[in-house]
Amino acid sequence: MRSLRFSSLPVPLARPVVLSIALLLSACGGGGGGSDTAAVVPPVTPTDPAALVAASTVANRCEAPRSGSSIDKPGTLLDELTWVRSWIDETYLWYREVPTSYQPQSFTTPIAYFDVLKTTATTASGKPKDQFHFTYPTAEWENAQNGIELGYGMLLAQTRNTPPRKAVISIVEPGSPAALAGLQRGDLLQSIDGVDFVNAADAASVKIINAGLFPEAQGTHVLSFSRDGTVRNATLQAVEVSTSAVQNERIIDTPTGKVGYLTFNTHNNVAERQLVESMRRFQAAGISDLVLDVRYNGGGYLDVASELAYMIAGPQVTTGKTFEQVLFNDKTRPKAPVPFHAQSQGFPGPNPLPQGTPLPSLGLTRVTLLTTGNTCSASEAIINGLRGVNVQVNLIGGTTCGKPYGFYPAPNCGTTYFAVQFQGVNAKGFGDFADGMAPTCDVTDDYQHQLGDAAEGMLAAALRYRSSGSCTPATGATRLLSSMQSPADTATRLLRPAYKEIAVIRR
């Protein structure tokens, strides 16, 4: 079984994402709120955690067992509600801070009950202490681990959330409906099925926009985009798209050596083989530096992050060292630290890499990561883990999202629940980056160039910093940040499922 470390989610959201009349919500899916939430009725007596039964005794007792399931057993709504409360009490990192004032009988769904079973504390800056509480349909969650997603094969970023709204394409998957329609990074969304995406404010229009943005079934929608002042219509078929974890591999020749570059989008099952093959090619080419583009990488399996960190640094500095130690609540037995994996862990999926395959290594003492506020959790663990063994990690872009927490997701009756169950720290015991990791050079995302283009703003800044140690170009578009500065977040909010903002380890 694998555990997860959660990444970025501003508020719990229901699936599908909905647009309020004047507001485009900033993530698609995964939350436990929205239409599943029943009105909360104040209970007569508080719930006593000491009186709870073990979660295992009511697990998979379902009010409506799934047809054909060998796991689900006949049960009641109260069984599901009891399981949620008991599971939280047993495993939640901050279980002592969960309100006891909610009775399960006050809720009509287990998801609605789950929503309120979290700490209400805030951080020193006033943010909710727990921003990382969500659910997802189990079947979709399991399918997604192999990189299969229902959609058009493009990732949209929200850069303005009130009319006039603004959403821009960040990534287009090769061979996807979006790619076949000629769409590309930087295209601005204008309309969906005839509705003005930019300005529409009535509820009927918002419903059409949601149906086109976040299709729940295969079907055709017409989206229009503008590029260089020209509007083009794209008839897009929503299908199950195989997404790639690694894209845009490049070897860039410079006067001071070869620099490897790749876009790394997610730590899922298919990422293991793709990363290993890229690193083998970089090793064979004799690169002297690496630029790892994780600006849109929300996380995934922590073991993949460990493998990648090993392949960057090599055995000289990682052998016998901790990549990440996970810290649980006082009811959970401590686990051995996650090491720097020198061999593949054998993730399942299409064309898997056999478990135990020796991993290549670049033996680098420094590495550059391109980051934004959408760089989360497992991606942040790469930074923190390498810094824990004194590898120099330079960040070019924006402050990361700040997710040092994680969890073991638990399926029950067709829903998988995600709640914070541990915090991760590196070999030096550091894991306090809930407000994100500040960049070495603060650089805005450049949608005018394709990812991997040496002229693209963030990559160009990384190459410049490598050669000169300076963040300031002739245009003055970037600036050097001291450790005392708090840079504004240069990232936009990606419209993606919450499950794409997690990190995973095996147990």
Side-chain angles (χ1 to χ4, degrees), residues 42-129:
V44 177
T45 56
T47 302
D48 180 7
L52 293 171
V53 302
S56 60
T57 65
V58 287
N60 304 310
R61 293 185 182 177
C62 309
E63 181 183 22
R66 289 167 291 174
S67 176
S69 172
S70 60
I71 300 174
D72 292 359
K73 300 181 288 289
T76 65
L77 172 61
L78 183 58
D79 287 333
E80 294 189 47
L81 296 167
T82 300
W83 178 87
V84 167
R85 185 65 183 90
S86 298
W87 179 70
I88 287 290
D89 185 64
E90 292 169 10
T91 69
Y92 187 54
L93 184 61
W94 303 299
Y95 73 93
R96 298 180 190 276
E97 301 174 25
V98 174
T100 60
S101 56
Y102 297 116
Q103 286 289 308
Q105 293 87 347
S106 302
F107 299 87
T108 59
T109 70
I111 294 175
Y113 192 29
F114 172 80
D115 282 350
V116 300
L117 298 179
K118 62 179 181 178
T119 179
T120 60
T122 58
T123 66
S125 64
K127 294 192 308 182
K129 184 176 180 179

Side-chain angles (χ1 to χ4, degrees), residues 46 65 69 111 180 197-198 256 283 303 340 496:
S69 172
I111 294 175
L180 296 176
F197 167 80
V198 178
T256 54
Q283 184 182 50
D303 283 328
F340 286 85
R496 63 185 176 190

Side-chain angles (χ1 to χ4, degrees), residues 223-247:
L223 283 69
S224 70
F225 293 84
S226 64
R227 183 191 309 163
D228 298 327
T230 300
V231 176
R232 62 181 65 198
N233 292 326
T235 301
L236 300 176
Q237 176 76 21
V239 298
E240 289 192 337
V241 178
S242 295
T243 61
S244 49
V246 176
Q247 295 180 339

Side-chain angles (χ1 to χ4, degrees), residues 5 302-303 305-307 309-310 313-327 335-342 381-391 423-431 505:
R5 200 174 71 206
L302 195 62
D303 283 328
S306 169
E307 291 178 356
Y310 168 83
Q316 295 83 358
V317 296
T318 63
T319 299
K321 301 290 182 62
T322 291
F323 174 69
E324 179 163 298
Q325 176 67 64
V326 292
L327 308 176
K335 302 292 192 297
V338 179
F340 286 85
H341 294 308
I382 296 171
I383 301 166
N384 201 45
L386 287 172
R387 286 176 172 172
V389 292
N390 298 319
V391 173
Q423 179 177 5
V425 299
N426 65 15
K428 296 179 179 179
F430 178 74
I505 61 175

